[in-house]
């Protein structure tokens, strides 16, 4: 009977653990939807707040992992890393989208600041793609600003 109760408890805890990761994934998804909704509504400050919440979720997950790494099973550690990776990559992609929004709306200084944020925040090989894209965007904005002319929309 004790063995059965122990197995039942492990299954319940596994289900709760799985639910926690699903809840975190759902939180990320919700913030992404709000982020893009705010951009479509021309509310970039609210979009920033949503993306910062995604970064906070990644930070909390990292802290939880570091605090509990010795107490976690391999599957839990793997799930925690998946959430961290997903949150960080999602936030980096959102910052790139925000910078493009600023560029398209000719808010060049805000685009510069956003590209710099990506370059300074997302270090390491795992984020090199995002940093490279930010550096390219940064060069594009600087070229626009250095030329002293605004881009001309292509003829249709």
């Amino acid at each position: 009977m004790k063995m059965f109760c122990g197995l039942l408890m492990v299954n319940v805890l596994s289900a709760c653990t799985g639910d926690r990761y699903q809840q975190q994934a759902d939180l990320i998804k919700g913030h992404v939807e709000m982020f893009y909704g705010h951009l479509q509504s021309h509310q970039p400050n609210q979009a920033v707040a949503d993306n910062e919440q995604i970064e906070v979720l990644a930070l909390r997950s990292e802290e939880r992992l570091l605090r509990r790494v010795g107490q976690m099973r391999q599957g839990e550690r793997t799930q925690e890393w998946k959430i961290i990776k997903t949150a960080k990559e999602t936030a980096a992609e959102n910052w790139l989208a925000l910078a493009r929004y600023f560029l398209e709306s000719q808010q060049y200084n805000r685009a510069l600041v956003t590209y710099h944020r990506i370059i300074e925040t997302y270090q390491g090989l795992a984020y090199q793609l995002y940093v490279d894209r930010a550096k390219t965007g940064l060069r594009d904005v600087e070229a626009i600003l250095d030329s002293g002319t605004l881009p001309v929309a292509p003829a249709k």
Side-chain angles (χ1 to χ4, degrees):
M1 184 66 175
K2 284 184 180 181
M3 178 100 162
F4 176 76
C5 290
L7 289 175
L8 181 61
M9 192 63 149
V10 168
N11 288 335
V12 168
L13 288 174
S14 294
C16 291
T17 301
D19 287 347
R20 190 172 72 75
Y21 296 117
Q22 185 60 50
Q23 288 171 351
Q24 289 178 313
D26 290 343
L27 274 173
I28 293 168
K29 182 181 176 184
H31 283 297
V32 168
E33 289 171 359
M34 289 188 292
F35 173 87
Y36 283 99
H38 290 311
L39 283 187
Q40 288 177 349
S41 301
H42 305 288
Q43 299 173 320
N45 292 339
Q46 287 83 355
V48 166
D50 282 310
N51 208 39
E52 287 173 341
Q53 287 302 307
I54 295 170
E55 288 181 322
V56 166
L57 191 142
L59 182 62
R60 286 184 182 152
S61 291
E62 283 180 320
E63 289 170 352
R64 182 175 33 259
L65 181 64
L66 291 173
R67 248 188 353 262
R68 297 189 56 233
V69 71
Q71 303 165 357
M72 298 172 105
R73 294 187 322 268
Q74 180 60 39
E76 291 175 302
R77 286 191 300 268
T78 300
Q79 288 294 330
E80 204 69 54
W81 276 117
K82 284 181 186 178
I83 289 296
I84 293 165
K85 183 178 187 288
T86 298
K88 285 185 170 187
E89 289 178 352
T90 299
E93 192 66 48
N94 287 353
W95 290 128
L96 288 168
L98 182 66
R100 283 189 304 274
Y101 170 87
F102 289 139
L103 185 60
E104 291 168 5
S105 60
Q106 299 180 356
Q107 298 178 55
Y108 302 117
N109 288 334
R110 291 185 82 181
L112 287 172
V113 168
T114 304
Y115 284 130
H116 278 293
R117 180 179 183 152
I118 296 164
I119 293 165
E120 293 167 7
T121 303
Y122 294 91
Q123 302 292 316
L125 289 176
Y127 307 104
Q128 192 60 48
L129 172 68
Y130 304 104
V131 169
D132 290 345
R133 289 170 57 195
K135 287 178 179 178
T136 299
L138 193 60
R139 284 190 299 271
D140 292 346
V141 175
E142 288 171 344
I144 290 168
L145 293 174
D146 288 344
S147 71
T149 61
L150 296 178
V152 177
K156 292 185 179 182

mmCIF file of all heavy atoms in Angstrom, residues 8-46:
data_model
loop_
_atom_site.group_PDB
_atom_site.id
_atom_site.type_symbol
_atom_site.label_atom_id
_atom_site.label_comp_id
_atom_site.label_asym_id
_atom_site.label_seq_id
_atom_site.Cartn_x
_atom_site.Cartn_y
_atom_site.Cartn_z
ATOM 1 N N LEU A 8 1.526 6.997 -6.472
ATOM 2 C CA LEU A 8 0.440 7.941 -6.711
ATOM 3 C C LEU A 8 0.921 9.368 -6.454
ATOM 4 O O LEU A 8 0.657 10.269 -7.250
ATOM 5 C CB LEU A 8 -0.757 7.606 -5.815
ATOM 6 C CG LEU A 8 -1.987 8.501 -5.967
ATOM 7 C CD1 LEU A 8 -2.533 8.409 -7.384
ATOM 8 C CD2 LEU A 8 -3.056 8.101 -4.977
ATOM 9 N N MET A 9 1.675 9.559 -5.367
ATOM 10 C CA MET A 9 2.192 10.888 -5.036
ATOM 11 C C MET A 9 3.154 11.380 -6.108
ATOM 12 O O MET A 9 3.106 12.528 -6.518
ATOM 13 C CB MET A 9 2.881 10.849 -3.672
ATOM 14 C CG MET A 9 3.173 12.197 -3.142
ATOM 15 S SD MET A 9 1.603 13.053 -2.898
ATOM 16 C CE MET A 9 2.047 14.057 -1.562
ATOM 17 N N VAL A 10 4.036 10.506 -6.603
ATOM 18 C CA VAL A 10 4.968 10.883 -7.663
ATOM 19 C C VAL A 10 4.197 11.286 -8.911
ATOM 20 O O VAL A 10 4.502 12.293 -9.549
ATOM 21 C CB VAL A 10 5.959 9.730 -7.964
ATOM 22 C CG1 VAL A 10 6.727 9.988 -9.248
ATOM 23 C CG2 VAL A 10 6.902 9.550 -6.798
ATOM 24 N N ASN A 11 3.182 10.527 -9.264
ATOM 25 C CA ASN A 11 2.377 10.861 -10.441
ATOM 26 C C ASN A 11 1.646 12.180 -10.265
ATOM 27 O O ASN A 11 1.562 12.972 -11.198
ATOM 28 C CB ASN A 11 1.381 9.741 -10.752
ATOM 29 C CG ASN A 11 2.068 8.514 -11.317
ATOM 30 O OD1 ASN A 11 3.145 8.621 -11.904
ATOM 31 N ND2 ASN A 11 1.460 7.360 -11.138
ATOM 32 N N VAL A 12 1.126 12.417 -9.075
ATOM 33 C CA VAL A 12 0.443 13.682 -8.806
ATOM 34 C C VAL A 12 1.433 14.834 -8.893
ATOM 35 O O VAL A 12 1.166 15.861 -9.516
ATOM 36 C CB VAL A 12 -0.261 13.650 -7.427
ATOM 37 C CG1 VAL A 12 -0.726 15.034 -7.014
ATOM 38 C CG2 VAL A 12 -1.436 12.684 -7.460
ATOM 39 N N LEU A 13 2.613 14.667 -8.286
ATOM 40 C CA LEU A 13 3.635 15.715 -8.353
ATOM 41 C C LEU A 13 4.096 15.932 -9.785
ATOM 42 O O LEU A 13 4.293 17.061 -10.215
ATOM 43 C CB LEU A 13 4.833 15.366 -7.466
ATOM 44 C CG LEU A 13 4.595 15.469 -5.968
ATOM 45 C CD1 LEU A 13 5.808 14.965 -5.193
ATOM 46 C CD2 LEU A 13 4.262 16.886 -5.574
ATOM 47 N N SER A 14 4.251 14.846 -10.544
ATOM 48 C CA SER A 14 4.647 14.985 -11.946
ATOM 49 C C SER A 14 3.594 15.756 -12.718
ATOM 50 O O SER A 14 3.910 16.612 -13.541
ATOM 51 C CB SER A 14 4.856 13.615 -12.585
ATOM 52 O OG SER A 14 5.950 12.962 -11.983
ATOM 53 N N ALA A 15 2.342 15.449 -12.449
ATOM 54 C CA ALA A 15 1.265 16.160 -13.130
ATOM 55 C C ALA A 15 1.279 17.629 -12.745
ATOM 56 O O ALA A 15 1.115 18.503 -13.593
ATOM 57 C CB ALA A 15 -0.090 15.527 -12.790
ATOM 58 N N CYS A 16 1.515 17.904 -11.463
ATOM 59 C CA CYS A 16 1.580 19.300 -11.023
ATOM 60 C C CYS A 16 2.768 20.007 -11.654
ATOM 61 O O CYS A 16 2.664 21.145 -12.081
ATOM 62 C CB CYS A 16 1.682 19.382 -9.500
ATOM 63 S SG CYS A 16 0.176 18.858 -8.661
ATOM 64 N N THR A 17 3.907 19.296 -11.704
ATOM 65 C CA THR A 17 5.092 19.881 -12.308
ATOM 66 C C THR A 17 4.827 20.165 -13.778
ATOM 67 O O THR A 17 5.133 21.231 -14.279
ATOM 68 C CB THR A 17 6.298 18.938 -12.144
ATOM 69 O OG1 THR A 17 6.503 18.727 -10.759
ATOM 70 C CG2 THR A 17 7.550 19.522 -12.758
ATOM 71 N N GLY A 18 4.254 19.194 -14.473
ATOM 72 C CA GLY A 18 3.920 19.395 -15.875
ATOM 73 C C GLY A 18 2.966 20.547 -16.058
ATOM 74 O O GLY A 18 3.107 21.345 -16.985
ATOM 75 N N ASP A 19 1.999 20.644 -15.171
ATOM 76 C CA ASP A 19 1.042 21.751 -15.229
ATOM 77 C C ASP A 19 1.747 23.086 -15.038
ATOM 78 O O ASP A 19 1.417 24.069 -15.696
ATOM 79 C CB ASP A 19 -0.032 21.596 -14.155
ATOM 80 C CG ASP A 19 -1.024 20.479 -14.470
ATOM 81 O OD1 ASP A 19 -1.036 19.989 -15.607
ATOM 82 O OD2 ASP A 19 -1.773 20.126 -13.554
ATOM 83 N N ARG A 20 2.734 23.133 -14.149
ATOM 84 C CA ARG A 20 3.457 24.381 -13.904
ATOM 85 C C ARG A 20 4.182 24.833 -15.159
ATOM 86 O O ARG A 20 4.149 26.007 -15.525
ATOM 87 C CB ARG A 20 4.450 24.209 -12.745
ATOM 88 C CG ARG A 20 5.060 25.537 -12.297
ATOM 89 C CD ARG A 20 5.892 25.377 -11.040
ATOM 90 N NE ARG A 20 7.132 24.685 -11.267
ATOM 91 C CZ ARG A 20 8.184 25.249 -11.870
ATOM 92 N NH1 ARG A 20 8.118 26.473 -12.311
ATOM 93 N NH2 ARG A 20 9.288 24.563 -12.042
ATOM 94 N N TYR A 21 4.805 23.896 -15.845
ATOM 95 C CA TYR A 21 5.514 24.261 -17.072
ATOM 96 C C TYR A 21 4.534 24.674 -18.167
ATOM 97 O O TYR A 21 4.803 25.600 -18.924
ATOM 98 C CB TYR A 21 6.425 23.124 -17.531
ATOM 99 C CG TYR A 21 7.513 22.864 -16.519
ATOM 100 C CD1 TYR A 21 7.609 21.660 -15.846
ATOM 101 C CD2 TYR A 21 8.440 23.860 -16.206
ATOM 102 C CE1 TYR A 21 8.585 21.445 -14.902
ATOM 103 C CE2 TYR A 21 9.418 23.659 -15.260
ATOM 104 C CZ TYR A 21 9.487 22.448 -14.608
ATOM 105 O OH TYR A 21 10.454 22.247 -13.663
ATOM 106 N N GLN A 22 3.404 23.991 -18.227
ATOM 107 C CA GLN A 22 2.385 24.379 -19.204
ATOM 108 C C GLN A 22 1.841 25.768 -18.874
ATOM 109 O O GLN A 22 1.609 26.581 -19.764
ATOM 110 C CB GLN A 22 1.247 23.356 -19.244
ATOM 111 C CG GLN A 22 0.231 23.650 -20.330
ATOM 112 C CD GLN A 22 0.843 23.658 -21.713
ATOM 113 O OE1 GLN A 22 1.543 22.734 -22.095
ATOM 114 N NE2 GLN A 22 0.613 24.729 -22.467
ATOM 115 N N GLN A 23 1.668 26.049 -17.590
ATOM 116 C CA GLN A 23 1.212 27.378 -17.180
ATOM 117 C C GLN A 23 2.223 28.446 -17.572
ATOM 118 O O GLN A 23 1.852 29.525 -18.039
ATOM 119 C CB GLN A 23 0.966 27.420 -15.670
ATOM 120 C CG GLN A 23 -0.258 26.657 -15.232
ATOM 121 C CD GLN A 23 -0.356 26.531 -13.713
ATOM 122 O OE1 GLN A 23 0.566 26.876 -12.982
ATOM 123 N NE2 GLN A 23 -1.488 26.019 -13.254
ATOM 124 N N GLN A 24 3.509 28.147 -17.397
ATOM 125 C CA GLN A 24 4.538 29.117 -17.787
ATOM 126 C C GLN A 24 4.540 29.320 -19.300
ATOM 127 O O GLN A 24 4.665 30.444 -19.773
ATOM 128 C CB GLN A 24 5.911 28.667 -17.294
ATOM 129 C CG GLN A 24 6.066 28.785 -15.797
ATOM 130 C CD GLN A 24 7.410 28.295 -15.325
ATOM 131 O OE1 GLN A 24 7.879 27.230 -15.717
ATOM 132 N NE2 GLN A 24 8.035 29.086 -14.469
ATOM 133 N N ALA A 25 4.406 28.236 -20.043
ATOM 134 C CA ALA A 25 4.345 28.352 -21.504
ATOM 135 C C ALA A 25 3.126 29.170 -21.917
ATOM 136 O O ALA A 25 3.207 30.011 -22.826
ATOM 137 C CB ALA A 25 4.309 26.963 -22.134
ATOM 138 N N ASP A 26 2.010 28.945 -21.243
ATOM 139 C CA ASP A 26 0.795 29.714 -21.537
ATOM 140 C C ASP A 26 0.979 31.195 -21.193
ATOM 141 O O ASP A 26 0.470 32.071 -21.906
ATOM 142 C CB ASP A 26 -0.405 29.149 -20.780
ATOM 143 C CG ASP A 26 -0.849 27.789 -21.325
ATOM 144 O OD1 ASP A 26 -0.451 27.427 -22.462
ATOM 145 O OD2 ASP A 26 -1.579 27.080 -20.603
ATOM 146 N N LEU A 27 1.691 31.477 -20.103
ATOM 147 C CA LEU A 27 1.978 32.875 -19.741
ATOM 148 C C LEU A 27 2.805 33.557 -20.830
ATOM 149 O O LEU A 27 2.520 34.688 -21.213
ATOM 150 C CB LEU A 27 2.754 32.940 -18.422
ATOM 151 C CG LEU A 27 1.955 32.943 -17.145
ATOM 152 C CD1 LEU A 27 2.884 32.848 -15.936
ATOM 153 C CD2 LEU A 27 1.111 34.193 -17.046
ATOM 154 N N ILE A 28 3.824 32.857 -21.309
ATOM 155 C CA ILE A 28 4.645 33.410 -22.384
ATOM 156 C C ILE A 28 3.776 33.685 -23.601
ATOM 157 O O ILE A 28 3.830 34.775 -24.186
ATOM 158 C CB ILE A 28 5.810 32.452 -22.738
ATOM 159 C CG1 ILE A 28 6.794 32.365 -21.568
ATOM 160 C CG2 ILE A 28 6.523 32.905 -24.019
ATOM 161 C CD1 ILE A 28 7.820 31.243 -21.707
ATOM 162 N N LYS A 29 2.979 32.718 -23.975
ATOM 163 C CA LYS A 29 2.093 32.868 -25.140
ATOM 164 C C LYS A 29 1.153 34.055 -24.961
ATOM 165 O O LYS A 29 0.955 34.847 -25.880
ATOM 166 C CB LYS A 29 1.301 31.580 -25.355
ATOM 167 C CG LYS A 29 0.393 31.624 -26.554
ATOM 168 C CD LYS A 29 -0.379 30.333 -26.718
ATOM 169 C CE LYS A 29 -1.353 30.447 -27.872
ATOM 170 N NZ LYS A 29 -2.189 29.263 -28.008
ATOM 171 N N GLY A 30 0.603 34.199 -23.775
ATOM 172 C CA GLY A 30 -0.302 35.323 -23.507
ATOM 173 C C GLY A 30 0.392 36.664 -23.637
ATOM 174 O O GLY A 30 -0.141 37.609 -24.224
ATOM 175 N N HIS A 31 1.611 36.753 -23.116
ATOM 176 C CA HIS A 31 2.365 38.007 -23.225
ATOM 177 C C HIS A 31 2.747 38.303 -24.677
ATOM 178 O O HIS A 31 2.745 39.456 -25.094
ATOM 179 C CB HIS A 31 3.614 37.979 -22.346
ATOM 180 C CG HIS A 31 3.322 38.193 -20.896
ATOM 181 N ND1 HIS A 31 2.769 39.366 -20.406
ATOM 182 C CD2 HIS A 31 3.492 37.384 -19.822
ATOM 183 C CE1 HIS A 31 2.622 39.275 -19.098
ATOM 184 N NE2 HIS A 31 3.041 38.074 -18.718
ATOM 185 N N VAL A 32 3.042 37.261 -25.444
ATOM 186 C CA VAL A 32 3.357 37.457 -26.862
ATOM 187 C C VAL A 32 2.135 38.005 -27.595
ATOM 188 O O VAL A 32 2.252 38.954 -28.382
ATOM 189 C CB VAL A 32 3.850 36.143 -27.508
ATOM 190 C CG1 VAL A 32 3.902 36.261 -29.026
ATOM 191 C CG2 VAL A 32 5.215 35.764 -26.963
ATOM 192 N N GLU A 33 0.985 37.425 -27.331
ATOM 193 C CA GLU A 33 -0.241 37.903 -27.983
ATOM 194 C C GLU A 33 -0.524 39.360 -27.619
ATOM 195 O O GLU A 33 -0.875 40.165 -28.484
ATOM 196 C CB GLU A 33 -1.426 37.007 -27.599
ATOM 197 C CG GLU A 33 -1.346 35.634 -28.234
ATOM 198 C CD GLU A 33 -2.380 34.658 -27.705
ATOM 199 O OE1 GLU A 33 -3.184 35.031 -26.796
ATOM 200 O OE2 GLU A 33 -2.392 33.505 -28.183
ATOM 201 N N MET A 34 -0.350 39.688 -26.340
ATOM 202 C CA MET A 34 -0.563 41.074 -25.921
ATOM 203 C C MET A 34 0.492 41.994 -26.532
ATOM 204 O O MET A 34 0.174 43.109 -26.955
ATOM 205 C CB MET A 34 -0.570 41.177 -24.392
ATOM 206 C CG MET A 34 -1.818 40.563 -23.769
ATOM 207 S SD MET A 34 -1.979 40.855 -21.992
ATOM 208 C CE MET A 34 -0.648 39.884 -21.331
ATOM 209 N N PHE A 35 1.732 41.533 -26.603
ATOM 210 C CA PHE A 35 2.818 42.309 -27.187
ATOM 211 C C PHE A 35 2.453 42.728 -28.615
ATOM 212 O O PHE A 35 2.495 43.911 -28.952
ATOM 213 C CB PHE A 35 4.113 41.480 -27.174
ATOM 214 C CG PHE A 35 5.262 42.120 -27.899
ATOM 215 C CD1 PHE A 35 6.099 43.000 -27.245
ATOM 216 C CD2 PHE A 35 5.516 41.827 -29.231
ATOM 217 C CE1 PHE A 35 7.163 43.597 -27.909
ATOM 218 C CE2 PHE A 35 6.572 42.412 -29.901
ATOM 219 C CZ PHE A 35 7.400 43.298 -29.245
ATOM 220 N N TYR A 36 2.099 41.761 -29.434
ATOM 221 C CA TYR A 36 1.788 42.078 -30.830
ATOM 222 C C TYR A 36 0.483 42.861 -30.960
ATOM 223 O O TYR A 36 0.348 43.708 -31.847
ATOM 224 C CB TYR A 36 1.791 40.816 -31.694
ATOM 225 C CG TYR A 36 3.203 40.384 -31.986
ATOM 226 C CD1 TYR A 36 3.812 39.360 -31.252
ATOM 227 C CD2 TYR A 36 3.966 41.029 -32.954
ATOM 228 C CE1 TYR A 36 5.119 38.993 -31.499
ATOM 229 C CE2 TYR A 36 5.280 40.666 -33.202
ATOM 230 C CZ TYR A 36 5.842 39.645 -32.474
ATOM 231 O OH TYR A 36 7.150 39.286 -32.705
ATOM 232 N N GLY A 37 -0.457 42.613 -30.070
ATOM 233 C CA GLY A 37 -1.683 43.409 -30.054
ATOM 234 C C GLY A 37 -1.387 44.873 -29.760
ATOM 235 O O GLY A 37 -1.948 45.775 -30.397
ATOM 236 N N HIS A 38 -0.483 45.104 -28.821
ATOM 237 C CA HIS A 38 -0.097 46.480 -28.497
ATOM 238 C C HIS A 38 0.632 47.139 -29.667
ATOM 239 O O HIS A 38 0.416 48.327 -29.936
ATOM 240 C CB HIS A 38 0.770 46.528 -27.240
ATOM 241 C CG HIS A 38 0.023 46.214 -25.986
ATOM 242 N ND1 HIS A 38 -1.174 46.805 -25.641
ATOM 243 C CD2 HIS A 38 0.311 45.356 -24.974
ATOM 244 C CE1 HIS A 38 -1.588 46.338 -24.481
ATOM 245 N NE2 HIS A 38 -0.710 45.453 -24.055
ATOM 246 N N LEU A 39 1.482 46.394 -30.354
ATOM 247 C CA LEU A 39 2.160 46.978 -31.523
ATOM 248 C C LEU A 39 1.150 47.340 -32.608
ATOM 249 O O LEU A 39 1.241 48.402 -33.210
ATOM 250 C CB LEU A 39 3.214 46.022 -32.083
ATOM 251 C CG LEU A 39 4.521 45.910 -31.331
ATOM 252 C CD1 LEU A 39 5.515 45.054 -32.108
ATOM 253 C CD2 LEU A 39 5.123 47.262 -31.019
ATOM 254 N N GLN A 40 0.189 46.454 -32.838
ATOM 255 C CA GLN A 40 -0.830 46.735 -33.850
ATOM 256 C C GLN A 40 -1.680 47.940 -33.470
ATOM 257 O O GLN A 40 -2.160 48.662 -34.336
ATOM 258 C CB GLN A 40 -1.726 45.514 -34.076
ATOM 259 C CG GLN A 40 -1.014 44.400 -34.818
ATOM 260 C CD GLN A 40 -1.879 43.164 -34.967
ATOM 261 O OE1 GLN A 40 -2.935 43.030 -34.356
ATOM 262 N NE2 GLN A 40 -1.415 42.234 -35.791
ATOM 263 N N SER A 41 -1.841 48.161 -32.187
ATOM 264 C CA SER A 41 -2.616 49.304 -31.690
ATOM 265 C C SER A 41 -1.747 50.538 -31.483
ATOM 266 O O SER A 41 -2.208 51.523 -30.909
ATOM 267 C CB SER A 41 -3.286 48.943 -30.360
ATOM 268 O OG SER A 41 -4.135 47.849 -30.508
ATOM 269 N N HIS A 42 -0.496 50.454 -31.913
ATOM 270 C CA HIS A 42 0.455 51.565 -31.779
ATOM 271 C C HIS A 42 0.640 51.982 -30.326
ATOM 272 O O HIS A 42 0.638 53.164 -29.992
ATOM 273 C CB HIS A 42 0.042 52.745 -32.660
ATOM 274 C CG HIS A 42 -0.136 52.356 -34.089
ATOM 275 N ND1 HIS A 42 0.919 52.047 -34.908
ATOM 276 C CD2 HIS A 42 -1.255 52.183 -34.838
ATOM 277 C CE1 HIS A 42 0.462 51.711 -36.106
ATOM 278 N NE2 HIS A 42 -0.851 51.778 -36.095
ATOM 279 N N GLN A 43 0.811 50.971 -29.467
ATOM 280 C CA GLN A 43 1.068 51.190 -28.048
ATOM 281 C C GLN A 43 2.388 50.508 -27.674
ATOM 282 O O GLN A 43 2.419 49.518 -26.942
ATOM 283 C CB GLN A 43 -0.070 50.612 -27.202
ATOM 284 C CG GLN A 43 -1.421 51.227 -27.484
ATOM 285 C CD GLN A 43 -2.533 50.497 -26.755
ATOM 286 O OE1 GLN A 43 -2.534 49.276 -26.669
ATOM 287 N NE2 GLN A 43 -3.468 51.264 -26.222
ATOM 288 N N PRO A 44 3.501 51.046 -28.179
ATOM 289 C CA PRO A 44 4.777 50.358 -27.956
ATOM 290 C C PRO A 44 5.199 50.293 -26.490
ATOM 291 O O PRO A 44 5.867 49.335 -26.092
ATOM 292 C CB PRO A 44 5.771 51.171 -28.786
ATOM 293 C CG PRO A 44 5.136 52.512 -28.949
ATOM 294 C CD PRO A 44 3.658 52.259 -28.975
ATOM 295 N N ASN A 45 4.824 51.266 -25.683
ATOM 296 C CA ASN A 45 5.215 51.212 -24.268
ATOM 297 C C ASN A 45 4.565 50.022 -23.566
ATOM 298 O O ASN A 45 5.193 49.376 -22.723
ATOM 299 C CB ASN A 45 4.863 52.517 -23.559
ATOM 300 C CG ASN A 45 5.701 53.675 -24.058
ATOM 301 O OD1 ASN A 45 6.775 53.491 -24.629
ATOM 302 N ND2 ASN A 45 5.206 54.883 -23.872
ATOM 303 N N GLN A 46 3.330 49.717 -23.919
ATOM 304 C CA GLN A 46 2.671 48.549 -23.338
ATOM 305 C C GLN A 46 3.306 47.264 -23.865
ATOM 306 O O GLN A 46 3.423 46.278 -23.137
ATOM 307 C CB GLN A 46 1.163 48.565 -23.627
ATOM 308 C CG GLN A 46 0.402 49.587 -22.821
ATOM 309 C CD GLN A 46 0.451 50.995 -23.448
ATOM 310 O OE1 GLN A 46 1.125 51.256 -24.432
ATOM 311 N NE2 GLN A 46 -0.284 51.912 -22.850
#
